[in-house]
């Protein structure tokens, strides 16, 4: 029998990236679908993974041999700050249900998705895989961050006690088609794309909060997808791997905004509201481990990824998450 790969959270930004890569890279290539593989991309409508019985039923239905676990209750700053207990509990439930069911069903390999918010608030940069547990995470989203951190502990514990092949990935900021473009809750790139489009449509200035000076590393969802496929097929250690562009690829929020203006074709007034907070100046993460294990990687240029994201949003405006 072949491999059955279940992707939880398979209908979100990252899951759709994996689906695209699997179906669009040449068959049987390093990242393309292999003849012996069946891929399943599950959404919350198939099973609410906060519920153990529903989780078990999902696994009973598909009988996965491998799992890429992306499903998570995510939210912006406001949802996190006002809901640390809920964010912690719901994510702990999802992760525990998925990982324990994988153990019960003897799933051969599980990759769970963490986030750079697992890292300590006060830590020496660049972030690397050895620094996750060196201090408390940022107080704004400590519930969500601790739930994600716990996955790394669970992976090691299940590996040590039961020999499970459980591991995790830590992506930096992701962007791409199928993102959440909600103006209140979205991450910076989809929020700015949406804002810029509205400014263009309404002939209004495009105003961004903050100075535009903070630096961030952004990874295109389809590049990230290749890394998940690599990790699934070629990496068998419980230790996490950071999935990121290099430290030399940091861009300022101003550069992001300028690239969006270009991609959207906005020609109106473009300004910064410096009364609004900037957030952390920079939090660079190292991709040394990733590149050494993968043997190099050709990243999609930022402007190219952004163009594809804008194009996708324009074409799917009526159905996109806004
Ligand atoms: P999205 O919000 O785009 O997608 C979330 C996915 O999880 C959806 O498929 C959603 O299903 C599913 N889901 C949510 N709640 C449940 C539930 N209770 N039961 C079952 N499924 C559920 O998220 P992303 O694709 O951006 O994120 C995927 C992973 O990547 C997450 O673990 C996130 O923490 C991580 N990550 C994301 C980053 C980013 O910048 N986006 C950065 C770093 C890490 P449905 O469509 O039915 O709602």
């Amino acid at each position: 029998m072949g491999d059955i790969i279940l992707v939880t959270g398979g209908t979100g930004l990252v899951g759709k990236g994996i689906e695209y890569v699997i179906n669009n890279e040449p068959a049987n290539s390093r990242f393309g679908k292999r003849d012996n593989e069946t891929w399943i991309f599950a959404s919350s409508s198939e099973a609410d993974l906060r519920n153990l019985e529903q989780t078990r039923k999902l696994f009973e239905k598909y009988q996965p041999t491998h799992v890429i676990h992306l499903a998570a209750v995510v939210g912006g700053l406001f949802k996190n700050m006002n809901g640390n207990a809920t964010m912690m509990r719901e994510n702990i439930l999802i992760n525990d249900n998925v990982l324990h069911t994988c153990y019960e069903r003897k799933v051969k390999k599980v990759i769970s998705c963490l986030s750079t918010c697992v890292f300590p608030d006060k830590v020496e940069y660049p972030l690397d895989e050895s620094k996750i547990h060196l201090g408390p995470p940022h107080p704004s989203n400590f519930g969500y961050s601790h739930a994600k951190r716990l996955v790394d502990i669970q992976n090691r514990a299940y590996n040590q006690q039961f020999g499970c092949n459980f591991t995790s990935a830590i992506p930096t900021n992701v962007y791409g088609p199928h993102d959440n473009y909600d103006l209140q809750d979205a991450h910076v790139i989809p929020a700015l794309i949406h804002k810029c489009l509205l400014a263009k449509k309404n002939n209004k200035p495009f105003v961004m909060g903050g100075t535009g000076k903070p630096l961030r590393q952004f990874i295109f969802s389809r590049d990230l997808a290749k890394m998940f496929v690599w990790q699934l097929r070629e990496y068998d250690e419980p230790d996490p791997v950071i999935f990121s562009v290099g430290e030399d690829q940091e861009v300022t929020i101003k550069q992001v905004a300028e690239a969006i203006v270009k991609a959207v074709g906005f020609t109106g007034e473009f300004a910064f509201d410096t009364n609004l907070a900037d957030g952390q100046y920079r939090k660079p993460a190292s991709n040394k481990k990733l590149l050494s294990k993968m043997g190099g990687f050709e990243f999609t240029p930022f402007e190219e990824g952004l163009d594809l994201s804008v194009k996708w949003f324009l074409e799917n405006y009526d159905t996109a998450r806004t």
Side-chain angles (χ1 to χ4, degrees):
M1 224 187 64
D3 292 340
I4 300 170
I5 301 123
L6 171 66
V7 182
T8 72
T11 49
L13 166 66
V14 180
K16 286 286 181 189
I18 296 177
E19 191 176 23
Y20 179 90
V21 162
I22 280 298
N23 292 323
N24 287 277
E25 287 291 309
N28 300 309
S29 65
R30 192 177 194 194
F31 306 119
K33 185 178 173 307
R34 295 193 172 156
D35 292 340
N36 67 336
E37 289 175 347
T38 305
W39 286 76
I40 290 135
F41 295 88
S43 76
S44 65
S45 61
E46 274 211 79
D48 183 343
L49 299 172
R50 292 172 297 187
N51 178 297
L52 181 58
E53 280 322 301
Q54 291 190 35
T55 307
R56 283 185 170 145
K57 276 193 185 136
L58 183 78
F59 277 68
E60 180 64 41
K61 180 176 172 188
Y62 292 117
Q63 316 247 342
T65 55
H66 297 70
V67 170
I68 298 180
H69 172 40
L70 306 174
V73 178
V74 295
L77 186 66
F78 188 75
K79 187 170 168 185
N80 272 292
M81 278 175 68
N82 293 297
N84 270 302
T86 309
M87 295 299 277
M88 181 173 74
R89 179 158 191 267
E90 297 198 341
N91 282 298
I92 286 179
L93 283 172
I94 289 179
N95 297 333
D96 186 58
N97 289 340
V98 169
L99 290 180
H100 195 70
T101 306
C102 286
Y103 155 68
E104 286 176 339
R105 299 198 65 91
K106 300 187 171 55
V107 170
K108 287 184 195 160
K109 168 107 176 240
V110 183
I111 301 170
S112 297
C113 190
L114 309 186
S115 144
T116 50
C117 71
V118 297
F119 284 104
D121 183 29
K122 294 185 174 53
V123 68
E124 206 175 296
Y125 293 116
L127 305 173
D128 71 45
E129 291 82 353
S130 68
K131 296 179 180 170
I132 300 175
H133 303 285
L134 295 186
H138 194 271
S140 60
N141 60 355
F142 71 95
Y144 175 79
S145 306
H146 275 296
K148 287 270 184 196
R149 261 188 198 189
L150 204 53
V151 172
D152 177 52
I153 304 288
Q154 241 173 320
N155 286 346
R156 293 169 197 279
Y158 275 70
N159 179 267
Q160 190 200 70
Q161 190 176 343
F162 305 120
C164 295
N165 190 1
F166 291 179
T167 189
S168 62
I170 312 178
T172 49
N173 307 280
V174 190
Y175 72 101
H178 298 273
D179 210 336
N180 177 2
Y181 289 83
D182 183 301
L183 286 171
Q184 299 303 321
D185 236 14
H187 290 119
V188 59
I189 289 186
L192 287 181
I193 291 176
H194 195 173
K195 230 173 153 180
C196 187
L197 267 174
L198 289 180
K200 184 181 173 188
K201 202 168 135 198
N202 300 323
N203 255 324
K204 290 264 171 62
F206 173 36
V207 184
M208 260 146 312
T211 62
K213 287 183 184 155
L215 288 150
R216 293 288 181 268
Q217 287 160 299
F218 292 101
I219 182 150
F220 186 47
S221 57
R222 293 173 187 170
D223 288 352
L224 183 67
K226 291 180 181 168
M227 292 165 192
F228 274 106
V229 176
W230 159 76
Q231 197 178 22
L232 183 79
R233 293 173 177 165
E234 301 180 44
Y235 178 86
D236 282 317
E237 295 160 38
D239 297 341
V241 185
I242 292 173
F243 287 173
S244 176
V245 298
E247 290 160 69
D248 56 341
Q249 300 294 305
E250 280 180 305
V251 290
T252 64
I253 300 300
K254 183 166 184 268
Q255 285 172 305
V256 172
E258 285 167 349
I260 288 174
V261 162
K262 203 167 145 210
V264 167
F266 176 76
T267 51
E269 190 191 331
F270 159 37
F272 290 91
D273 180 355
T274 51
N275 292 317
L276 292 172
D278 258 346
Q280 217 166 337
Y281 177 59
R282 64 191 288 254
K283 42 179 182 181
S286 165
N287 67 358
K288 263 196 198 140
K289 178 174 177 179
L290 172 77
L291 295 188
S292 71
K293 297 270 178 189
M294 265 190 106
F297 187 81
E298 204 174 309
F299 290 94
T300 303
F302 182 62
E303 295 211 346
E304 191 181 321
L306 204 60
D307 270 342
L308 286 167
S309 309
V310 169
K311 195 161 167 263
W312 183 88
F313 186 46
L314 286 172
E315 284 168 2
N316 296 277
Y317 192 80
D318 294 336
T319 50
R321 288 178 284 172
T322 54

